Amino acid sequence: MDRQAFLDALNSDLAHEYSAIIQYTQYSAKVRGPWRTELKTFFQAEIPDEQLHAQYLADKIAAMGGNPTTQPTPVRNADSAEDMLKAVRDAEGDAVRRYTERAQQAEALGEIAIKVQLENFIADEQNHMQEVNQILAEWPQK
């Protein structure tokens, strides 16, 4: 992978982080049901992590001579609390997959600082995903 392809991939990751911010913001506003208060708090608590990821990616893209995107990827629509949690879990799993790939690419390009930070992002995203899985583990079945 050359540096431009790596920048393009980081920009895709940045677009996904923007989407995560939007997703958590929208879901915190829309969530309904008996666990609204807890889920609203949970969703809102995730936003700062996603903002930090987005800012780091934008900074690195710019430092490497790229132009950070301003466009998010589409946000998965969800109306029920359960569907919101499943959408979040899936997005976090996708982030783990993308950041694992990106960390390998960073290492191959000799971008060790980026690799290490991406590994920290992987840990964040895995922790988010595990938390959602714990919430869903006892979710009432319809």
Side-chain angles (χ1 to χ4, degrees), residues 4-142:
Q4 185 56 52
F6 184 64
L7 283 172
D8 293 344
L10 289 176
N11 250 326
S12 175
D13 296 330
L14 177 57
H16 280 87
E17 290 295 346
Y18 291 154
S19 292
I21 294 165
I22 294 166
Q23 182 179 43
Y24 282 123
T25 301
Q26 183 193 44
Y27 292 179
S28 74
K30 285 178 54 176
V31 68
R32 301 284 183 261
W35 300 287
R36 174 178 163 62
T37 302
E38 292 83 358
L39 290 175
K40 180 180 177 96
T41 300
F42 172 75
F43 290 145
Q44 288 176 344
E46 300 301 321
I47 295 168
D49 280 348
E50 308 303 345
Q51 288 173 320
L52 288 171
H53 296 175
Q55 188 63 63
Y56 177 85
L57 291 169
D59 289 346
K60 286 303 173 186
I61 291 164
M64 294 176 72
N67 185 29
T69 187
T70 59
Q71 297 298 313
T73 58
V75 175
R76 183 166 141 189
N77 187 46
D79 292 317
S80 73
E82 181 180 19
D83 288 344
M84 290 175 191
L85 289 164
K86 288 179 179 178
V88 163
R89 179 196 57 203
D90 294 348
E92 299 290 3
D94 179 59
V96 168
R97 181 196 56 76
R98 284 183 293 95
Y99 286 140
T100 299
E101 180 180 332
R102 211 71 63 239
Q104 293 166 350
Q105 295 163 345
E107 183 173 34
L109 290 170
E111 294 287 348
I112 303 308
I114 295 174
K115 173 191 179 270
V116 170
Q117 188 59 49
L118 291 170
E119 288 172 342
N120 291 333
F121 288 1
I122 292 165
D124 288 345
E125 305 294 3
Q126 281 184 329
N127 288 334
H128 297 167
M129 190 171 60
Q130 288 169 351
E131 187 66 25
V132 172
N133 280 333
Q134 287 184 310
I135 294 168
L136 285 169
E138 299 293 326
W139 200 264
Q141 298 302 311
K142 297 175 187 175

